[in-house]
Amino acid sequence: MAVEWADSADKHGVDREDALHAMQNHHLRVLEFDEPRQEGAGRPDLYLGPPRPPGGPILEIMVERVPPRTLVVFHVMQARQKYLELLEEGDPR
């Protein structure tokens, strides 16, 4: 699987290795959780997971799956409360 990074993924200063770690060790993954942000794009997936340093804040990562085997990471930041609540509730869908 190839991983590509949009410039927007670096906006919040989270290290890419931390983002990959959070995706690989996610606490929650919600497939197609939101509407596409660009015309012609797929519905993004949401990952919530820990960074590499133990005890760090949970990260939210949004990716678009592009067939056949590419993930485009376009959003990475410390998880916001509305997404942290999904960890407690689980994916409502």
Side-chain angles (χ1 to χ4, degrees):
M1 172 114 1
V3 178
E4 297 178 3
W5 297 85
D7 291 340
S8 59
D10 298 320
K11 179 179 175 181
H12 297 283
V14 176
D15 187 281
R16 289 181 177 185
E17 292 297 320
D18 285 339
L20 287 173
H21 183 270
M23 290 171 64
Q24 293 168 340
N25 299 281
H26 62 271
H27 299 308
L28 179 70
R29 179 177 72 166
V30 182
L31 301 176
E32 298 183 341
F33 86 103
D34 201 3
E35 295 299 318
R37 296 188 180 209
Q38 296 180 1
E39 188 173 329
R43 292 174 56 105
D45 297 343
L46 170 68
Y47 290 83
L48 297 176
R52 289 173 299 165
I58 298 296
L59 300 176
E60 68 182 55
I61 300 100
M62 297 179 196
V63 306
E64 179 187 356
R65 286 180 278 143
V66 179
R69 297 180 45 88
T70 301
L71 293 178
V72 178
V73 179
F74 65 87
H75 174 81
V76 180
M77 67 181 285
Q78 183 174 335
R80 292 171 281 181
Q81 187 60 38
K82 67 181 181 179
Y83 295 126
L84 291 173
E85 289 172 2
L86 290 177
L87 287 176
E88 298 169 15
E89 301 166 7
D91 181 10
R93 290 173 278 158

